Amino acid sequence: MSAIMNFRSVVSGFPTYHQPMEWLNYHHLLYFWMVAKHGGIAQAGRELRLRPPTLSAQIRQLEDQLGVSLFHRTTRSVRLTNEGLQLLDCAERALREAALEYHRAPT
């Protein structure tokens, strides 16, 4: 499965700010979803086996690409912004669809 996927049909409910949605990176969505699920960069980083600065940089890239802040940050945790909540729903659908496509693909 390609790291760059066309999520336009899945994330059509999320407004596009700077870049077209087809430029969304599968890994960015996965990292965003994991941080949201765990409520923090360090916790998500442990599960993803990524150092917190690396994971934080990936989240910042996604935010820069979309032109919005996805999280309210504190020194110990993160909380989703309204835009983050919107993207979370879209990301869950996109990741679920990507997993289904992966399992449907011939081996």
Side-chain angles (χ1 to χ4, degrees):
M1 179 170 45
S2 169
I4 304 291
M5 300 182 68
N6 183 350
F7 292 115
R8 181 182 292 279
S9 64
V10 178
V11 296
S12 60
F14 191 76
T16 303
Y17 292 93
H18 289 294
Q19 296 289 332
M21 294 308 270
E22 65 262 17
W23 288 100
L24 280 178
N25 182 301
Y26 170 82
H27 291 105
H28 282 154
L29 285 181
L30 176 63
Y31 299 161
F32 163 76
W33 182 79
M34 290 292 287
V35 171
K37 174 184 164 195
H38 287 284
I41 300 279
Q43 302 90 326
R46 276 193 292 278
E47 189 167 335
L48 290 165
R49 297 179 185 240
L50 291 174
R51 292 177 49 239
T54 302
L55 183 53
S56 185
Q58 293 295 309
I59 297 298
R60 287 272 185 217
Q61 284 179 3
L62 178 59
E63 289 175 322
D64 289 346
Q65 180 180 1
L66 295 173
V68 297
S69 292
L70 298 170
F71 294 101
H72 296 289
R73 292 164 171 81
T74 67
T75 55
R76 298 250 180 225
S77 67
V78 296
R79 190 172 39 90
L80 289 166
T81 62
N82 288 337
E83 294 83 6
L85 287 169
Q86 288 178 2
L87 184 61
L88 182 61
D89 180 55
C90 297
E92 287 173 343
R93 287 184 288 136
L95 293 170
R96 190 171 31 253
E97 185 170 298
L100 288 172
E101 286 300 317
Y102 176 80
H103 291 294
R104 278 188 227 146
T107 55

